[in-house]
Amino acid sequence: MAKSSSSFSCTECGAKHSKWSGRCDACGAWNSIVEDKGISSGPPSKSLGARRGSSIELTDLATQETPPPRAHSGIAELDRVLGGGLVPSSAILVGGDPGIGKSTLLLQAAAHFAQSGLKTIYVSGEEASAQVRMRAQRLGLADAPVKLAAETNLRDILTTLEAERPQLAIIDSIQTMWADNVESAPGSVSQVRAAAHELTSFAKRRGVAVILVGHVTKEGQIAGPRVVEHMVDTVLYFEGERGHQFRILRAVKNRFGPADEIGVFEMTGGGLTEVTNPSALFLSERGQPSPGSVVFAGIEGTRPVLVELQALVAPSPHSQARRTVVGWDSGRLAMILAVLEARCGIPFAGLDVYLNVAGGMKISEPAADLAVAAAILSAREDAALPAETVVFGEISLSGALRPASQTENRLKEAQKLGFTSAIAPRGGKAVGATGIALNTMSDLTGFVGEIFGAG
Ligand code: TYD
Ligand code: MG
């Protein structure tokens, strides 16, 4: 017979340990390690088999289910990111850096949903009711029929929600919630997890849509909303640079719609306003064609978005050359530099490389590869790309160019914004060709030769 093994976990960071110790070596917290009890610890013990559970009901896949009716806020950018409106009894997490505008966005959303007839409760654990009311006044939303509370006690909040039965409850933020049956401090992983669990199961049980606000710290995971992501139906991140007015609401997970969908907003004195044509906004600061500047025709979710990539390549005064990236993956940049060196014989040793995505946008699409390579080469050769040209395409390690998805949508958007030509991999489907001159290539060497006349 197997001897009973026990396991331990940290109540602060959730790390598993095989034995108890005074300090968790994963997160450094003291006195946070407790023994895991219950059915999750180890192989099934005799006691679980001894007492039988009741049998659960099974259904067929063919059971007819009507699609959930969705509520619309009237803020088109928000409704699209939600997958076409708010699904009843869904749990949504809205994450983002402190101060990025989550409370502003959700107060506006609450007001719009309430005005469209949804019974809405907004619970703030961070601000006093008077503060929230003042903000609503400043946003011109003071007469929206939203019910307001400033509270952090989860038990009291749940009791109230149970009695009031709203259709939408907004909890700002999950880190301030405090469940009195959990011992650790508010904001710790076990508190955040317990609060999110209670609120999401309440959402399912009572058919209430629940929106949880979560702060992400720059350092990353500790007590951040990451632990909540798998519990909720939809995860939206509110991104942007403090210095820029643009804010992007991005769906990173959505059980009721496409992931990677974005909504674009601008932070103004009167709150967040929708940006219906993000490409025009992202390109608005672009001047004359200059070396190092390339327009990437990207796709965000279901929508094409044009953004400007800026690169700077300069001799490095350091013994180790710098590679600095804003808005893109630095590992991916290293890969592209390596491919340019290995396949096209263009060295970057001793050169600092800076890459910036204009407007505070973050890009994760591999189709940006070719635009990045073009920006870097253009900066290195000090030669601007042909005017009014967009670039897209994925680069493989062999130096071959892979066609990107939705070539046609990218071209249409480019044409709409007045671009006249595009550089793209060969083989993309561009039927119903638009009025754009499409210059296709099959590998990076061909691209370098044709555009920069080098190789
Ligand atoms: P907030 O919604 O409080 O951020 P979060 O909840 O994510 O921490 O937004 C705070 C910032 O937004 C603050 O720096 C001021 C700015 N802001 C405006 O520029 N205009 C406005 O109308 C409002 C309400 C806030
Ligand atoms: Mg806030």
Side-chain angles (χ1 to χ4, degrees):
M1 227 197 100
K3 78 177 167 67
S4 76
S5 64
S6 51
S7 71
F8 297 83
S9 63
C10 171
T11 55
E12 292 298 320
C13 71
K16 293 273 178 217
H17 299 276
S18 59
K19 61 182 183 0
W20 190 89
S21 67
R23 182 172 179 269
C24 171
D25 47 15
C27 70
W30 289 95
N31 227 351
S32 63
I33 293 178
V34 294
E35 184 170 2
D36 291 328
K37 298 193 179 77
I39 56 172
S40 62
S41 62
S45 67
K46 220 172 162 189
S47 60
L48 189 62
R51 216 190 50 193
R52 292 175 48 149
S54 50
S55 61
I56 52 174
E57 192 194 335
L58 304 172
T59 60
D60 297 328
L61 279 177
T63 312
Q64 287 294 319
E65 208 75 62
T66 45
R70 292 172 183 258
H72 299 276
S73 66
I75 306 176
E77 295 293 303
L78 174 65
D79 290 342
R80 189 191 26 254
V81 176
L82 288 170
L86 182 71
V87 175
S89 64
S90 62
I92 297 157
L93 172 71
V94 177
D97 295 338
I100 204 73
K102 300 181 292 301
S103 302
T104 308
L105 175 72
L106 289 173
L107 188 60
Q108 288 182 264
H112 277 81
F113 278 119
Q115 278 160 345
S116 72
L118 223 59
K119 186 172 178 187
T120 305
I121 292 184
Y122 185 103
V123 182
S124 177
E126 305 196 333
E127 290 161 288
S129 298
Q131 271 176 296
V132 181
R133 274 198 299 271
M134 260 157 57
R135 174 178 296 177
Q137 237 153 35
R138 205 147 36 81
L139 298 173
L141 301 169
D143 48 4
V146 179
K147 289 276 170 240
L148 202 61
E151 184 54 65
T152 57
N153 186 317
L154 190 63
R155 194 183 291 273
D156 294 348
I157 291 171
L158 285 170
T159 306
T160 310
L161 293 180
E162 194 84 46
E164 293 281 335
R165 292 291 176 88
Q167 286 155 298
L168 168 63
I170 296 173
I171 309 293
D172 186 3
S173 67
I174 190 74
Q175 273 101 351
T176 51
M177 292 299 127
W178 176 68
D180 55 20
N181 57 340
V182 177
E183 271 177 18
S184 52
S188 65
V189 166
S190 33
Q191 279 286 356
V192 168
R193 196 183 281 151
H197 176 73
E198 291 290 342
L199 287 161
T200 49
S201 46
F202 171 79
K204 304 289 148 192
R205 204 168 58 237
R206 294 295 183 219
V208 177
V210 172
I211 301 182
L212 310 174
V213 174
H215 294 295
V216 197
T217 51
K218 277 272 183 281
E219 296 76 44
Q221 291 79 353
I222 296 178
R226 299 257 155 189
V227 291
V228 181
E229 283 185 356
H230 71 275
M231 290 188 217
V232 295
D233 302 305
T234 302
V235 178
L236 310 179
Y237 273 97
F238 206 34
E239 308 169 344
E241 300 290 324
R242 289 282 185 86
H244 289 99
Q245 322 77 304
F246 319 130
R247 297 284 182 273
I248 290 156
L249 185 66
R250 186 188 298 272
V252 297
K253 161 181 171 178
N254 196 350
R255 289 186 183 143
F256 307 112
D260 267 332
E261 194 70 81
I262 63 165
V264 184
F265 297 89
E266 194 173 355
M267 183 61 102
T268 66
L272 291 153
T273 53
E274 295 179 65
V275 175
T276 43
N277 190 346
S279 300
L281 184 79
F282 289 131
L283 297 181
S284 62
E285 289 165 11
R286 199 169 56 109
Q288 291 300 307
S290 60
S293 159
V294 166
V295 175
F296 165 54
I299 298 280
E300 295 289 340
T302 55
R303 182 159 63 165
V305 176
L306 305 190
V307 279
E308 183 194 359
L309 306 183
Q310 303 161 341
L312 180 67
V313 176
S316 178
H318 311 283
S319 57
Q320 184 151 20
R322 271 167 167 268
R323 270 91 181 94
T324 304
V325 192
V326 178
W328 207 49
D329 180 30
S330 56
R332 197 98 192 160
L333 174 70
M335 189 194 98
I336 288 182
L337 293 177
V339 174
L340 282 169
E341 274 199 57
R343 306 294 174 205
C344 311
I346 301 172
F348 283 90
L351 293 173
D352 286 341
V353 178
Y354 301 89
L355 181 76
N356 179 37
V357 180
M361 177 81 180
K362 285 195 182 77
I363 297 177
S364 55
E365 234 198 321
D369 289 355
L370 190 58
V372 168
I376 293 169
L377 286 169
S378 157
R380 190 182 185 280
E381 306 298 319
D382 199 26
L385 243 64
E388 308 311 330
T389 301
V390 297
V391 183
F392 58 90
E394 187 177 342
I395 298 175
S396 71
L397 286 179
S398 66
L401 301 184
R402 291 204 199 109
S405 61
Q406 304 194 44
T407 296
E408 199 183 335
N409 279 343
R410 296 175 203 263
L411 296 178
K412 277 189 183 150
E413 178 78 358
Q415 191 191 18
K416 208 168 82 189
L417 283 134
F419 290 86
T420 51
S421 67
I423 301 172
R426 194 159 291 161
K429 286 195 198 75
V431 279
T434 51
I436 257 185
L438 185 58
N439 190 357
T440 60
M441 311 176 179
S442 57
D443 60 44
L444 198 54
T445 320
F447 169 79
V448 172
E450 184 157 339
I451 305 299
F452 297 100

